[in-house]
Amino acid sequence: MSYTNQDFLDQLSHFLTIIPQKYVDALLTLHEKLYDKKIKWIVSGDLAERLRLVKVDPDCIEIVTSKDGAEQIFQAVQEFKPQKVIFQTQRLPRDAVIGGEKFPVSVRSHYFEFNVNGVNVKVQGDLQFKVGNWDWGEVFDFNPEYVYVIGKKIAVTPLPIQYEFYQTLGWNDRAEKIEQITKKPLAAKKPF
């Protein structure tokens, strides 16, 4: 076996031990259902970070899209019996800590959930955030980064966006986990 093939197998093995298999399977199923629909969707939250090697444990797949994207995804996943898309506001379980004071953090979106092979999937269209009694922020939109999951190109929230978000909310523990990944020196490549 050549060094190149062994490098690939080492990377694949590392990836598969980092991401629980049920999330890999669910992501591949979602990719299959959505890839040809021309829907802009990204994986966000803990799984997006885990896909970028941040040491967090996902408990679901979070997808961020537009309002229209949420409706299109809803139609594409009917076999999984998704809940109806509703416009809702939810309070996050963790408060922001700004200037030493705590403030509730809320999100609103065109939201629905469904289950793929034992993995909960949450879809949020036109996602917005609000801290305390401040105004709602702009719709969460950016140019995604991409990771490959078993050869399938998956859009994810860029780590700098997540880092800035956590810094803004005073979630320093989460920002530090991202910083540990983004500040690591590149590993030396093995010779061919």
Side-chain angles (χ1 to χ4, degrees), residues 21-22 29 44 56 164 186:
Q21 186 65 44
K22 67 181 183 177
T29 298
S44 195
V56 294
E164 183 179 330
L186 294 174

Side-chain angles (χ1 to χ4, degrees), residues 10-177:
D10 289 346
Q11 290 173 2
L12 181 61
S13 174
H14 178 70
F15 177 79
L16 291 176
T17 60
I18 289 176
I19 309 298
Q21 186 65 44
K22 67 181 183 177
Y23 293 103
V24 172
D25 294 343
L27 276 176
L28 294 176
T29 298
L30 289 171
H31 183 273
E32 181 182 313
K33 296 290 177 194
L34 303 176
Y35 83 97
D36 64 346
K37 303 279 191 253
K38 299 194 185 334
I39 303 168
K40 181 181 176 184
W41 63 281
I42 59 129
V43 176
S44 195
D46 291 348
L47 183 58
E49 291 176 36
R50 185 71 179 252
L51 288 166
R52 300 294 309 279
L53 306 179
V54 176
K55 293 181 180 177
V56 294
D57 293 319
D59 64 356
C60 66
I61 296 175
E62 296 177 57
I63 294 177
V64 177
T65 186
S66 65
K67 176 185 176 186
D68 291 340
E71 292 292 342
Q72 290 173 295
I73 293 169
F74 177 80
Q75 293 303 319
V77 298
Q78 285 298 301
E79 73 185 79
F80 302 111
K81 298 179 178 38
Q83 297 174 351
K84 183 180 172 188
V85 180
I86 59 170
F87 186 69
Q88 74 173 19
T89 300
Q90 297 173 304
R91 181 174 173 190
L92 297 182
R94 186 171 181 179
D95 290 339
V97 180
I98 302 169
E101 287 188 60
K102 289 186 174 187
F103 298 92
V105 180
S106 299
V107 295
R108 70 179 179 188
S109 66
H110 299 271
Y111 180 87
F112 72 99
E113 292 183 27
F114 59 101
N115 192 288
V116 176
N117 305 327
V119 175
N120 193 34
V121 180
K122 300 177 180 183
V123 178
Q124 299 182 81
D126 285 350
L127 175 64
Q128 293 177 281
F129 292 90
K130 180 179 181 174
V131 176
N133 60 2
W134 303 348
D135 292 336
W136 285 98
E138 298 292 320
V139 169
F140 195 56
D141 190 26
F142 49 83
N143 291 323
E145 290 181 352
Y146 295 91
V147 296
Y148 285 86
V149 177
I150 316 297
K152 305 299 181 192
K153 188 175 178 181
I154 306 287
V156 296
T157 305
L159 287 180
I161 299 283
Q162 288 293 108
Y163 179 82
E164 183 179 330
F165 177 73
Y166 294 146
Q167 286 284 91
T168 300
L169 296 179
W171 296 356
N172 297 330
D173 59 321
R174 292 302 298 265
E176 287 172 12
K177 287 183 180 196

